[in-house]
Amino acid sequence: MAKTKVKFICQSCGYESPKWMGKCPGCGEWNTMTEEISKPASSRRAVFAHSSQTLQKPSPITSIETAQEPRIFTNSEEFNRVLGSGIVKGSLVLIGGDPGIGKSTLLLQVSSQLADNGNDVLYISGEESVKQTKLRADRLGVKSDKLLVLSETDLSFISKAIEEVNPSFVVVDSIQTVFHSEISSAPGSVSQVRESTAELMRIAKTKGVAIFIVGHVTKEGSIAGPRILEHMVDTVLYFEGERHHTYRILRAVKNRFGSTNEMGIFEMKESGLEEVENPSEIFLEERSKGAAGSTVVASMEGTRSVLVEIQALISPTSFGNPRRMATGIDHNRVPLLMAVLEKRVGLLLQNQDAYLKVAGGVKLDEPAIDLAIAVSIASSFKDAPPKPTDVIIGEVGLTGEVRRVSRIEQRVMEAAKLGFKRAIIPEANIGGWNPPADIEIVGVKNVAEALQKTLGG
Ligand SMILES: Nc1ncnc2c1ncn2[C@@H]1O[C@H](COP(=O)(O)OP(=O)(O)OP(=O)(O)O)[C@@H](O)[C@H]1O
Ligand SMILES: [Mg+2]
């Protein structure tokens, strides 16, 4: 019999060591090493069924036949888009999110839609009894007989159930409750999570079934367990939102079958999650029009343009070093843009505190929002409100020039759709596309010109 070995594994990064240590050398966290008994190597199986048995020859890439990977479509446009237009058969998707944010609700709803469309669906819950799942299903109005539920945590029974039912869509809620009976450590530990995920990956690939697993998140907001988990799966989704708002954002952070940075927006209602078709409206909902320091930018989220409000508050520093704070945007952009405003436009900002915020809790990380940030800062500093019907788009360079951005047409179209009257865009972006008739296009070459056009000097 193969010998079992004891090892110590960091629960935060997966670092392994033969002896216990107080501080993990891998990630530097304290008190994260726990004892786990490792499984004999012989019982490990490869993810791809044939790879260990038959020797495969390398073949020229041009001779490999491809087909569009088959996809299953849900009724929810938002959900399909986040996954890169539909669920890929044989893919393993990890979905993480804060407790109570609505992960089980979302997946039960998707399961129900797929079952309604004639797919066999298996919903496995390790956290709730079938009765609890049924209570939620009643609230969501689930009716299909093709949706089977199971309350199980033992991985061998889970794989048997998948074998018997032969579904096309499986939900495992959550990976932290699943355990592999050959591994002695507790469910939720690094070895358990890793081995269970590998086994589910093997099932997904060999049977061509799409498996969604729910992952808990840590205090810092990343998926609990080793980072390795995110490397193993095909797609990682985060379901986020503020506790105080009913809006929830589903975001792809990794996707082997589509673009990342796509997001889907849902609203939590008594009857479940409802998709929000026009996100720009909700991000601009509470805007106080005509306030100094507030501008609107058309930013790209994946393939979709959304309009978001950027707010700045500039106030004199009372003591010590001036503060620079930013939520929702890269905080390094703020001092950089302030330096540009100071040097190229002549605004005296060095003894001013600056607070920047993207309204609505979204995070923006593209350079096209630079100009809107700069105008917001200048507007708050001068106490001069920009026109509430202006939308501002452009990247700012270190010499104060306004640089070209991608997908200008789509951004301007979205602004026109929501009733904006004027778009301030980079001069270099003018021409080569057809602007909508009901919006005035103003091209600017540098920040000074943009300030002159929006704030009047
Ligand atoms: N009767 C109800 N009416 C409206 N909303 C409800 C109702 N019951 C539950 N909810 C909402 O559903 C949320 C719980 O959703 P769900 O159980 O899907 O979350 P979860 O992410 O799976 O949580 P966990 O991490 O505990 O598994 C609650 O936080 C609440 O907002
Ligand atoms: Mg749940």
Side-chain angles (χ1 to χ4, degrees), residues 43-347:
S43 63
R44 281 173 199 256
R45 269 177 290 180
V47 170
F48 296 96
H50 51 260
S51 61
S52 56
Q53 279 92 32
T54 53
L55 187 67
Q56 292 210 4
K57 284 214 182 78
S59 47
I61 194 157
T62 48
S63 73
I64 296 169
E65 281 184 35
T66 54
Q68 272 292 350
E69 64 274 342
R71 288 179 185 257
I72 325 173
F73 297 98
T74 67
N75 300 354
S76 161
E77 271 306 308
E78 302 282 303
F79 195 78
N80 288 342
R81 196 189 39 249
V82 172
L83 289 167
S85 80
I87 302 166
V88 176
K89 286 194 176 161
S91 66
L92 185 65
V93 179
L94 174 66
I95 168 163
D98 286 336
I101 203 81
K103 302 176 293 293
S104 308
T105 309
L106 177 72
L107 290 178
L108 190 61
Q109 232 173 311
V110 168
S111 301
S112 143
Q113 286 172 6
L114 290 174
D116 283 342
N117 296 349
N119 300 291
D120 286 304
V121 179
L122 180 58
Y123 185 98
I124 302 160
S125 179
E127 296 189 334
E128 293 163 314
S129 63
V130 287
K131 285 219 181 75
Q132 274 176 299
T133 309
K134 169 74 172 132
L135 278 179
R136 181 180 293 118
D138 285 343
R139 186 158 55 84
L140 303 180
V142 178
K143 290 193 273 309
S144 178
D145 287 342
K146 286 190 160 276
L147 172 58
L148 307 180
V149 289
L150 172 72
S151 181
E152 184 55 74
T153 52
D154 188 330
L155 189 62
S156 55
F157 291 128
I158 290 176
S159 35
K160 231 175 263 159
I162 297 176
E163 199 73 40
E164 270 166 32
V165 177
N166 197 17
S168 44
F169 183 71
V170 174
V171 174
V172 179
D173 189 1
S174 66
I175 192 69
Q176 274 83 8
T177 57
V178 173
F179 73 96
H180 200 301
S181 46
E182 286 170 35
I183 301 169
S184 55
S185 51
S189 66
V190 172
S191 335
Q192 284 287 8
V193 166
R194 195 166 50 195
E195 292 302 321
S196 306
T197 309
E199 176 68 13
L200 290 170
M201 186 65 157
R202 196 188 58 79
I203 297 173
K205 296 296 167 202
T206 50
K207 294 187 68 68
V209 40
I211 304 184
F212 275 57
I213 54 184
V214 173
H216 291 170
V217 296
T218 61
K219 237 182 12 253
E220 291 80 39
S222 57
I223 291 174
R227 230 14 227 287
I228 249 179
L229 195 58
E230 296 191 22
H231 287 293
M232 284 166 84
V233 299
D234 293 314
T235 303
V236 180
L237 306 177
Y238 274 91
F239 201 41
E240 25 181 65
E242 280 186 45
R243 200 149 276 282
H244 312 291
H245 287 115
T246 51
Y247 296 113
R248 304 277 186 268
I249 298 174
L250 183 68
R251 199 186 283 280
V253 292
K254 161 183 168 175
N255 192 353
R256 288 187 181 151
F257 306 105
S259 111
T260 52
N261 298 327
E262 285 289 1
M263 67 174 190
I265 299 168
F266 299 86
E267 188 177 355
M268 179 64 95
K269 298 227 170 111
E270 163 91 34
S271 56
L273 291 155
E274 221 164 79
E275 33 188 303
V276 172
E277 265 148 38
N278 202 334
S280 301
E281 269 166 18
I282 68 160
F283 293 139
L284 297 180
E285 208 172 56
E286 289 157 62
R287 182 163 71 113
S288 51
K289 289 185 179 147
S294 150
T295 55
V296 173
V297 65
S299 177
M300 297 303 296
E301 279 284 346
T303 54
R304 172 164 69 172
S305 173
V306 285
L307 296 190
V308 194
E309 180 189 1
I310 291 182
Q311 300 177 329
L313 181 66
I314 307 294
S315 67
T317 307
S318 39
F319 58 90
N321 291 335
R323 294 164 68 98
R324 308 272 182 258
M325 299 220 322
T327 27
I329 49 179
D330 178 8
H331 63 269
N332 292 324
R333 301 298 295 172
V334 179
L336 190 147
L337 289 167
M338 290 179 84
V340 170
L341 284 171
E342 182 140 0
K343 190 93 179 166
R344 309 288 170 197
V345 189
L347 301 184

